[in-house]
């Protein structure tokens, strides 16, 4: 499902996901101190489902979202309401949402 996607996921899940699917590219990882400040701010915007989440996803060319069903509730609500995004998998802990088409970068 996540092959060749640039994804949002909670930073602490990124190492596991990268071992399971080496072709994915998480927005943030456990070494957040190495990220550019704007990338970390965008990660937090997505994590908390803030109003600017779509702009952050578009700006970072994200095509999939691996979310914690308890901690990312606001983002999940927003993803469910967004045209072109579908839930492709879930269990009691996590869910995966994928954009039908990769977002286009804005000029």
């Amino acid at each position: 499902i996540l092959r060749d996607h640039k994804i949002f996921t909670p930073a602490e899940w990124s190492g596991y996901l990268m071992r399971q699917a080496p072709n994915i590219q998480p927005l943030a990882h456990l070494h957040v101190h190495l990220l550019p400040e704007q990338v970390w701010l965008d990660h937090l915007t997505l994590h908390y489902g803030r109003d600017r989440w779509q702009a952050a996803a578009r700006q970072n060319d994200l095509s999939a979202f691996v979310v914690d069903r308890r901690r990312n509730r606001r983002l999940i609500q927003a993803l469910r309401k967004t045209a072109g995004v579908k839930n492709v998998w879930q269990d009691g802990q996590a869910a995966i949402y994928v954009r039908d088409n990769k977002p286009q970068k804005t000029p």
Side-chain angles (χ1 to χ4, degrees):
I1 294 174
L2 298 176
R3 184 181 200 130
D4 298 320
H5 282 280
K6 186 162 182 191
I7 68 167
F8 164 81
T9 192
E12 63 273 16
W13 290 10
S14 63
Y16 171 79
L17 291 171
M18 289 170 66
R19 281 191 303 278
Q20 299 304 311
N23 294 335
I24 66 167
Q25 302 167 31
L27 177 62
H29 46 72
L30 282 177
H31 298 288
V32 297
H33 59 284
L34 299 175
L35 298 175
E37 182 180 4
Q38 188 58 53
V39 171
W40 179 241
L41 294 173
D42 288 345
H43 174 82
L44 292 175
T45 295
L46 290 155
H47 184 84
Y48 293 112
R50 294 179 179 147
D51 291 339
R52 225 188 121 269
W53 79 270
Q54 284 184 309
R58 192 171 37 255
Q59 190 170 359
N60 291 282
D61 198 25
L62 300 178
S63 57
F65 305 83
V66 179
V67 292
D68 182 317
R69 293 185 63 201
R70 289 183 299 271
R71 293 185 304 143
N72 302 130
R73 288 181 181 165
R74 287 188 65 191
L75 178 58
I76 291 169
Q77 289 171 352
L79 289 165
R80 286 179 179 161
K81 295 176 188 174
T82 302
V85 174
K86 62 182 176 180
N87 176 244
V88 295
W89 183 88
Q90 72 179 32
D91 66 9
Q93 180 179 8
I96 299 174
Y97 291 83
V98 175
R99 290 182 185 264
D100 289 337
N101 296 309
K102 280 187 88 169
Q104 300 299 311
K105 289 186 178 181
T106 54

